[in-house]
């Protein structure tokens, strides 16, 4: 688009708050934004200045037209922007999309006899009619929550439809063991059943005290009426509720309701993890993924808060955020949430104390969820072999020719514990049974090149004849220099001419950023809008690079630990390698040796009284 294409139109744009829509040549809305001063914001796009963000440059290059709406205030602009983003789902906006691999729990309050079940996507129509959705949860978390609900509440679990099926069949076993209210009998009104379902809603909101009080009252009433079986079932439900409360760590001394939002970016995506504290305990969490990197974090956070809390079943008075937001956005968002909540709602960056601990926990959870997503190659339905097909395309290799990928990494602590790890991926999935570890035999000082040479020479002594197939591709941890060094070793070996080589390039933040090939071609996979194929390849390379580094450094730490134990015990006069092994075999750990008395040390076979005294004195010199 020529820089001056919209110059004349820009002069007519007012200096007022409002919302603007960018359109492509087909008339589709590709971006929606808000501005305090519309003319200034649009001039930043089309005024001929330099645009630093690759994402914004890509968006502007596709703009063929724009339109705008003037509003009276920034809060109005923020709300209108949010509504238009939901309506148009623009390509370049941050959109709140649910990963199908993370289910919700639905409570159908819109029905006469509400149900509680797992759902993979909220139904907008059901939500408008009153259904509530909680989540999204990790799969295992969803199972545990549903199990807890079934243990505590006598909810119907059959597929009968009420009131249609009332009185048609006898109640099932769950009724007789106190696990179901049996609305099928016709003796339970929909008001009574809904009252129990309202307790389930309280359960999701962490309001356990009210539930416990109600169950106690019912139990006492049953006991007074000599209905001991029902009282026993209520007692079991009460115990189940108390067990859940005891297993939940108290994060806040003051019982208060707080949400903590954590962010973590990698592979062109950002994970948002929201932890829900109710009465000081974590009672739930939600996980979302957005297209966007670290540079987009402010827009991601703003859009997440606006889009999520617009339909959230509950808004707490305090929301912890991971960083300071722009003052204008902060003021508008707090005002919007306060009006929706009906009382003051504050966004806060915790700098100290238990609230900071909670904020850090949310961030670390976001990182864990992102690592999990990368390891499984995207969402739950992703085909892990797709990145290999794209890699074949980039290499000009026949389709299906790349199945086994190997990667190597060197780890050491100076001149000590020099080792290497080898990881193997088959059809895009980690094949942990084929992983191998190498402790250097020839290399005695820190030299990554010579260590890699020894590792590769020892690895390629094994082939299909001894059950160890050659790789189709070796992914080198590093850029062009490291790739050339590995190629000089591999290409000098027999039978390696059909093995592809590529280097996994990192950026200044030590995150995977691209791939380089033997012919010198380098493809950067960050700082721009990625295609689905590029995104899949970036995830795969990140997974391989992180896994080989983790595997190698874990082995190095293990070697260092053994060396430290050996040095610690063998520093004791009279204790050599043989007696060190005896002590560790007898006591199991160095800590147990340290805590043992002289008499206990003497019980180890081969340890004399003199040895026992020496060991004891070594660990108890100060006392």
């Amino acid at each position: 688009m020529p820089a001056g294409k919209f110059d004349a139109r820009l002069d007519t744009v007012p200096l007022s708050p409002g919302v603007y829509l960018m359109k492509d040549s087909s008339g589709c809305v590709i971006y929606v934004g808000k501005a305090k001063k519309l003319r200034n914001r649009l001039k930043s796009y089309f005024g001929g200045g330099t645009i630093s963000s690759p994402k914004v440059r890509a968006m502007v290059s596709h703009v063929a037209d724009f339109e705008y709406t003037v509003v009276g205030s920034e809060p109005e602009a923020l709300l209108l922007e949010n509504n238009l983003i939901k309506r148009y789902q623009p390509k370049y906006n941050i959109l709140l999309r649910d990963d199908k691999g993370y289910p919700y729990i639905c409570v159908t309050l819109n029905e006469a006899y509400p149900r509680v079940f797992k759902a993979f996507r909220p139904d907008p129509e059901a939500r408008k009619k009153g259904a509530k959705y909680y989540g999204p949860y990790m799969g295992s978390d969803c199972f545990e929550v549903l199990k807890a609900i079934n243990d505590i509440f006598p909810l119907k679990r059959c597929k009968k439809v009420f009131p249609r099926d009332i009185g048609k069949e006898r109640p099932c076993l769950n009724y007789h063991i106190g696990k179901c209210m049996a609305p099928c009998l016709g003796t339970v009104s929909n008001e009574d059943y809904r009252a129990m379902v309202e307790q389930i809603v309280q359960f999701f909101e962490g309001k356990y005290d009210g539930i416990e009080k109600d169950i106690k009252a019912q139990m006492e009433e049953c006991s007074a009426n000599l209905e001991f079986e029902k009282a026993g079932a209520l007692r079991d439900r009460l115990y189940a509720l108390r067990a859940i409360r005891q297993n939940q760590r108290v994060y806040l001394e003051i019982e208060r309701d707080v949400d903590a939002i954590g962010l973590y970016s990698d592979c062109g995506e950002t994970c948002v993890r929201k932890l829900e504290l109710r009465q000081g305990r974590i009672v739930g969490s939600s996980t979302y993924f957005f297209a966007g990197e670290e540079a987009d974090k402010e827009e991601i956070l703003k859009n997440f808060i606006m889009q999520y809390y617009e339909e959230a079943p509950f808004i707490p008075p305090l929301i912890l955020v991971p960083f300071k937001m722009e003052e204008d956005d902060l003021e508008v968002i707090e005002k919007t949430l306060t009006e929706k909540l009906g009382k003051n709602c504050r966004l806060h960056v915790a700098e100290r104390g238990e609230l900071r601990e909670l904020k850090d926990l949310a961030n670390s959870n976001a990182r864990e969820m992102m690592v999990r997503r990368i390891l499984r190659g995207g969402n739950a339905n992703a085909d892990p072999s797709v990145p290999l097909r794209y890699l074949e395309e980039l290499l000009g290799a026949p389709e299906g020719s790349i199945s086994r990928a190997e990667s190597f990494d060197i780890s050491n602590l100076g001149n000590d514990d020099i080792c290497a790890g080898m990881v193997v991926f088959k059809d895009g999935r980690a094949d942990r049974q084929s992983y191998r570890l190498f402790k250097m035999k020839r290399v005695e000082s820190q030299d990554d090149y010579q260590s890699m040479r020894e590792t590769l020479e020892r690895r390629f002594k094994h082939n299909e004849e001894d059950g160890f197939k050659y790789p189709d591709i070796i992914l080198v941890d590093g850029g062009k220099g490291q790739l050339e060094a590995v190629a000089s070793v591999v290409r000098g070996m027999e039978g390696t001419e059909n093995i592809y080589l590529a280097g996994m390039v990192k950026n200044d933040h030590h995150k995977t950023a691209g791939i380089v090939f033997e012919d010198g071609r380098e493809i950067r996979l960050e700082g721009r809008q990625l295609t689905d194929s590029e995104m899949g390849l970036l995830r795969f390379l990140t997974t391989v690079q992180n896994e080989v580094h983790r595997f190698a450094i874990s082995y190095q730490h293990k070697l260092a630990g053994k060396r430290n134990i050996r040095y610690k015990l063998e520093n004791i006069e009279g204790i050599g390698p043989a007696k060190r092994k005896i002590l560790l075999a007898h006591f199991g750990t160095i800590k147990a040796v340290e805590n043992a008395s002289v008499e206990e040390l003497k019980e180890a076979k081969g340890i004399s009284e003199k040895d026992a005294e020496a060991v004891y004195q070594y660990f108890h010199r100060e006392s």
Side-chain angles (χ1 to χ4, degrees):
M1 180 193 69
K5 181 177 179 180
F6 296 132
D7 279 356
R9 291 180 56 188
L10 290 174
D11 291 337
T12 65
V13 177
L15 288 169
S16 305
V19 176
Y20 54 91
L21 287 76
M22 304 294 198
K23 298 182 178 181
D24 63 14
S25 57
S26 66
C28 291
V29 176
I30 60 174
Y31 185 75
V32 175
K34 74 169 181 65
K36 190 174 183 178
K37 296 181 178 180
L38 279 169
R39 186 194 304 168
N40 291 353
R41 177 61 57 85
L42 290 171
K43 279 190 173 181
S44 72
Y45 293 126
F46 309 125
T50 302
I51 300 174
S52 58
S53 169
K55 176 184 172 183
V56 176
R57 282 201 306 271
M59 182 270 291
V60 170
S61 69
H62 290 91
V63 175
D65 193 10
F66 71 85
E67 64 180 65
Y68 58 87
T69 301
V70 176
V71 295
S73 64
E74 278 196 88
E76 289 180 42
L78 186 65
L79 292 173
L80 179 58
E81 177 195 38
N82 187 43
N83 289 332
L84 292 177
I85 288 173
K86 289 196 300 181
R87 180 193 299 176
Y88 293 112
Q89 299 281 296
K91 176 181 178 180
Y92 290 98
N93 275 104
I94 303 297
L95 302 175
L96 182 60
R97 290 196 178 107
D98 309 320
D99 190 322
K100 292 182 180 178
Y102 296 93
Y104 290 77
I105 293 177
C106 176
V107 182
T108 57
L109 293 176
N110 54 312
E111 299 176 355
Y113 290 85
R115 296 168 294 143
V116 179
F117 58 90
K118 180 170 75 172
F120 282 101
R121 190 166 294 275
D123 182 346
E125 291 302 316
R127 184 175 255 165
K128 285 179 184 177
K129 294 175 182 178
K132 289 193 175 185
Y133 289 85
Y134 298 92
Y137 294 93
M138 295 286 289
S140 57
D141 292 343
C142 184
F143 173 81
E144 292 297 332
V145 171
L146 288 172
K147 181 178 181 298
I149 288 171
N150 287 327
D151 286 343
I152 298 169
F153 302 100
L155 192 70
K156 88 173 186 74
R157 287 174 249 179
C158 62
K159 295 183 179 179
K160 295 175 184 176
V161 178
F162 302 130
R164 186 193 70 187
D165 296 334
I166 291 177
K168 288 187 176 180
E169 296 180 23
R170 290 184 298 176
C172 63
L173 178 63
N174 284 326
Y175 166 70
H176 296 288
I177 62 175
K179 292 284 188 179
C180 179
M181 289 181 76
C184 57
L185 279 173
T187 57
V188 179
S189 67
N190 70 320
E191 290 83 4
D192 291 340
Y193 194 81
R194 287 185 68 87
M196 185 264 294
V197 174
E198 289 292 345
Q199 287 186 339
I200 295 176
V201 172
Q202 291 180 23
F203 175 84
F204 280 111
E205 294 176 358
K207 299 174 181 177
Y208 299 144
D209 289 338
I211 302 171
E212 188 170 327
K213 184 178 178 181
D214 289 345
I215 294 176
K216 274 184 178 179
Q218 293 174 37
M219 186 170 64
E220 290 170 1
E221 183 181 346
C222 288
S223 296
N225 295 333
L226 304 182
E227 297 174 318
F228 298 118
E229 288 187 8
K230 288 185 178 179
L234 288 165
R235 177 203 60 207
D236 294 340
R237 286 159 52 192
L238 190 62
Y239 287 165
L241 179 62
R242 287 175 176 172
I244 290 172
R245 296 190 70 167
Q246 288 171 359
N247 288 333
Q248 289 175 330
R249 175 184 168 186
V250 178
Y251 274 86
L252 302 180
E253 292 183 6
I254 302 173
E255 291 189 356
R256 58 195 299 192
D257 297 338
V258 181
D259 278 359
I261 300 173
L263 269 73
Y264 186 81
S265 302
D266 205 349
C267 291
E269 287 187 307
T270 294
C271 174
V272 176
R273 178 78 162 174
K274 181 177 71 69
L275 302 182
E276 300 165 3
L277 262 81
R278 303 295 179 258
Q279 297 181 358
R281 291 179 169 86
I282 293 180
V283 300
S285 61
S286 307
T287 307
Y288 294 89
F289 294 94
F290 296 87
E293 298 179 332
E294 182 77 14
D296 305 311
K297 65 181 183 181
E298 291 191 20
E299 185 181 1
I300 289 171
L301 181 61
K302 179 195 76 173
N303 283 315
F304 170 77
I305 292 172
M306 288 301 299
Q307 294 175 41
Y308 177 83
Y309 286 104
E310 183 178 14
E311 296 180 336
F314 177 76
I315 300 176
L318 179 63
I319 300 173
L320 301 182
V321 291
F323 51 81
K324 289 184 179 179
M325 304 175 69
E326 289 185 11
E327 284 297 326
D328 292 341
D329 285 341
L330 179 65
E331 183 180 345
V332 171
I333 291 172
E334 286 185 337
K335 183 177 180 181
T336 303
L337 295 181
T338 295
E339 291 175 355
K340 186 171 177 61
L341 179 60
K343 58 182 179 180
N344 189 46
C345 180
R346 186 166 62 99
L347 272 58
H348 175 59
V349 181
E351 300 291 349
R352 62 181 66 86
E354 56 189 9
L355 289 178
R356 177 176 177 176
E357 180 185 351
L358 181 60
K359 180 194 74 172
D360 293 343
L361 182 66
N363 282 326
S364 65
N365 266 266
R367 182 184 183 280
E368 290 300 321
M369 294 303 101
M370 178 59 78
V371 168
R372 180 180 184 271
R373 183 174 174 87
I374 292 170
L375 283 172
R376 73 180 189 181
N379 63 42
N381 302 314
D383 180 355
S385 67
V386 169
L388 298 182
R389 305 291 78 83
Y390 182 56
L391 196 54
E392 290 167 350
E393 183 182 327
L394 295 175
L395 287 163
E399 185 176 348
S401 60
I402 297 179
S403 171
R404 182 186 177 102
E406 293 182 3
S407 187
F408 303 83
D409 191 27
I410 306 298
S411 185
N412 56 65
L413 187 63
N415 294 330
D416 293 319
D417 312 315
I418 304 171
C419 62
M422 178 187 107
V423 299
V424 180
F425 283 72
K426 287 184 179 177
D427 297 321
R429 294 188 186 276
D431 179 20
R432 291 183 171 82
Q433 291 184 338
S434 298
Y435 285 15
R436 292 293 183 272
L437 293 165
F438 301 85
K439 184 179 179 182
M440 295 305 106
K441 297 179 178 178
R442 301 195 305 264
V443 179
E444 296 181 350
S445 59
Q446 185 176 357
D447 187 329
D448 285 358
Y449 177 72
Q450 289 301 325
S451 297
M452 183 62 76
R453 174 180 286 278
E454 179 181 334
T455 301
L456 291 169
E457 288 174 351
R458 287 167 58 185
R459 184 267 173 266
F460 281 104
K461 286 182 179 178
H462 302 278
N463 52 37
E464 290 190 53
E465 293 179 2
D466 54 14
F468 212 66
K469 183 183 176 182
Y470 273 11
D472 300 311
I473 186 169
I474 294 177
L475 295 170
V476 179
D477 184 18
K480 189 174 181 181
Q482 289 90 335
L483 178 61
E484 289 175 350
V486 170
S488 67
V489 178
V490 174
R491 295 307 181 210
M493 297 177 179
E494 186 178 349
T496 61
E497 58 276 359
N498 294 324
I499 297 175
Y500 295 101
L501 299 177
M504 300 178 291
V505 182
K506 288 186 177 180
N507 60 19
D508 295 338
H509 302 289
H510 301 287
K511 290 184 178 180
T512 310
I515 187 168
V516 60
F517 300 106
E518 275 192 277
D519 59 9
R521 286 181 301 132
E522 182 173 338
I523 299 175
R524 303 295 295 187
L525 296 171
E526 64 167 0
R528 60 184 177 86
Q529 196 82 9
L530 298 179
T531 64
D532 290 343
S533 295
E534 290 172 331
M535 181 70 78
L537 178 59
L538 180 58
R539 284 201 193 101
F540 176 67
L541 296 176
T542 300
T543 302
V544 174
Q545 202 162 34
N546 290 347
E547 182 69 351
V548 71
H549 181 68
R550 178 200 65 79
F551 192 55
I553 202 167
S554 296
Y555 185 44
Q556 185 266 315
H557 287 165
K558 184 178 179 180
L559 292 175
K562 288 182 176 179
R563 177 170 52 82
N564 290 337
I565 289 174
R566 184 176 70 248
Y567 287 166
K568 196 168 187 178
L569 287 176
E570 291 180 18
N571 281 338
I572 303 171
E573 185 178 353
I575 303 298
K579 290 182 180 179
R580 165 177 57 83
K581 291 178 182 178
I582 289 172
L583 286 167
L584 288 175
H586 183 83
F587 290 98
T589 65
I590 189 72
K591 189 68 178 175
V593 176
E594 183 178 344
N595 293 333
S597 66
V598 174
E599 292 301 320
E600 289 170 335
L601 290 165
K602 283 164 56 179
E603 290 176 5
K605 188 177 180 180
I607 301 298
S608 67
E609 184 171 354
K610 183 180 178 181
D611 294 332
E613 287 283 357
V615 172
Y616 184 84
Q617 290 300 326
Y618 178 82
F619 287 113
H620 298 82
R621 281 173 294 191
E622 291 184 5
S623 60

